[in-house]
Amino acid sequence: MDDPAAPLSNNQPAPRTPSSSSSQLNPPPAVPRTPQALQSLAPSRHIDRMINSNHHQSPSRTIYSDRFIPSRSGSNFALFDISNTPAEGRDDSSSAYATLLRTALFGPDAAGVVPPATPEKRNLIQMNPPSPNIFRFKTETRRSMHSLSPFGFDDVVTGVHHSPVKAPRKVPRSPYKVLDAPALQDDFYLNLVDWSSHNVLAVGLGNCVYLWNACSSKVTKLCDLGIDDSVCSVGWAQRGTHLAVGTSNGKVQIWDASRCRRIRTMEGHRLRIGALAWSSSMLSSGSRDKSILQRDIRAQEDFVSKLSGHKSEVCGLKWSYDNRELASGGNDNRLFVWNQHSTQPVLKYCEHTAAVKAIAWSPHLHGLLASGGGTADRCIRFWNTTTNSHLSCMDTGSQVCNLVWSKNVNELVSTHGYSQNQIIVWRYPTMSKLATLTGHTYRVLYLAISPDGQTIVTGAGDETLRFWNVFPSPKSQNTESEIGASSLGRTVIR
């Protein structure tokens, strides 16, 4: 009752008088006496008093016990070799005891009574019959991973909104700018394109070096080596405006690009210099004479040390971001790692089966090095120079000409030659392809990345330079890049 002061119903039984015997049953008039059932099982008088004392039932309503008796009708006891029904030939004493217990708890008329179900529960049982399985793991493992959501299988939960799966980043499939680059050589062993920290692109064309300002699109002719020499490599210092130029005569020229003035010429190599790499004031040069020379531009000597180990032309050179390790690749299919003080390689990797020109250090993980092999190899391999271990290998299907890592995200881009001449953007470490870019009709032999890390420029023997937006901007950068701010179209770099 909601109101505790309401009078008792007229149908309530009268209170028990003290003269009543405690050993006698005093059921309400609506319940007939059935002493035979109890007497047939001969319960003790003590149990009889415990069960039947103060047992009164209102004729106006049905009284149910608060004891929970689970329903095992939906359980599959066969899974556990348990039978849900008494086995044949088993003693019926347990069944008799269950009948006695039900009678004692719910009254003599409850021996064959099944607890009723409310209309809502009855409808729910009819719509959703009990599952035949106790455990559902076997069934659920065949569902999709999305069905394992804690919100259920039907995904219809009021007030719960599932976040949509983030769409993969879209990389534009066409270059936003194309520059004509007449006389750009189709030579796998040269490195003729580099992009400075001041947003200036240096390109070696024949026996000349040209500078293209990415902010103003202004083209400047830096130098002309004459008819007896040609440009084999260019490399910007990490900071400042100094540009190193490797020549076919085995010399290195240092130029101040801001004033278009040559500062110094250094010798030491006998043959062409196809690879250059800066480390602060230290400049490394790799030559066709199989050697690598370490040059300190502050010293009077042309070089301070000579690194020997390659058996063929050195065509790839890269310093790590902490300037502690130098990686070199050669036409002898070898990848070597040197430290700041060694004249012999401290690590040697011989897994590639073709020339190793493509080399890139990860800016995200110390000691992670990527290298790419030529036409007979076609693989990009990853190395941990800290533990001296080979991490993984990816067969790209084409000659690997260049590699560069994004500074903004854990991705890298590779350029290729025979036979597809494609540019591929990879997500590391899964090495899933984000984009495959095509457009060059010759091997994509040259690659450089912009100082903001968003744009790459590629060059090929088809005498074009193509600019691609492949990487996202850094999280801290809110302004748009100045790169590509000039009008789109095709212009000539010389």
Side-chain angles (χ1 to χ4, degrees), residues 245-261:
V245 179
T247 72
S248 59
N249 288 337
K251 299 179 180 180
V252 175
Q253 297 183 2
I254 307 297
W255 288 76
D256 184 349
S258 62
R259 295 182 292 174
C260 291
R261 186 170 68 92

Side-chain angles (χ1 to χ4, degrees), residues 316-320 325-329 335-338 359 361 369:
L317 277 180
K318 285 291 169 60
W319 278 96
S320 61
E325 294 179 303
L326 173 68
S328 65
L335 174 67
F336 293 158
V337 178
W338 320 71
I359 299 173
W361 291 93
L369 176 64

Side-chain angles (χ1 to χ4, degrees), residues 183-188 190 192 418 442-443 445-446 460-462:
L184 185 61
Q185 296 188 55
D186 183 31
D187 192 328
F188 178 81
L190 307 185
L192 297 175
Y418 303 125
Y442 279 63
R443 297 181 294 173
L445 296 177
Y446 310 110
D462 56 12

Side-chain angles (χ1 to χ4, degrees), residues 23 25 34-52 96-97 99-101 103-105 108:
S23 62
L25 291 173
T34 55
Q36 298 87 333
L38 295 177
Q39 292 176 2
S40 63
L41 296 174
S44 68
R45 294 178 61 84
H46 177 68
I47 296 177
D48 185 44
R49 285 197 300 270
M50 292 176 59
I51 293 176
N52 299 306
Y97 176 78
T99 303
L100 172 62
L101 183 61
T103 302
L105 291 175

Side-chain angles (χ1 to χ4, degrees), residues 257-279:
S258 62
R259 295 182 292 174
C260 291
R261 186 170 68 92
R262 186 175 64 186
I263 298 175
R264 186 174 180 181
T265 299
M266 294 179 286
E267 301 182 355
H269 288 296
R270 296 179 290 102
L271 299 173
R272 70 179 184 182
I273 301 171
L276 296 168
W278 285 87
S279 170

Side-chain angles (χ1 to χ4, degrees), residues 225-248:
L225 302 181
I227 59 175
D228 295 330
D229 207 351
S230 62
V231 179
C232 296
S233 56
V234 294
W236 287 102
Q238 294 172 338
R239 295 178 179 85
T241 58
H242 287 175
L243 177 70
V245 179
T247 72
S248 59

Side-chain angles (χ1 to χ4, degrees), residues 44 58 71 114 147 149 157-158 194 219 372 375-376 385 404 446 473 482:
S44 68
S58 172
S71 174
V114 178
S147 68
S149 167
V157 180
T158 304
D194 197 20
V219 178
T375 307
T385 62
V404 68
Y446 310 110
S473 62
E482 293 178 338

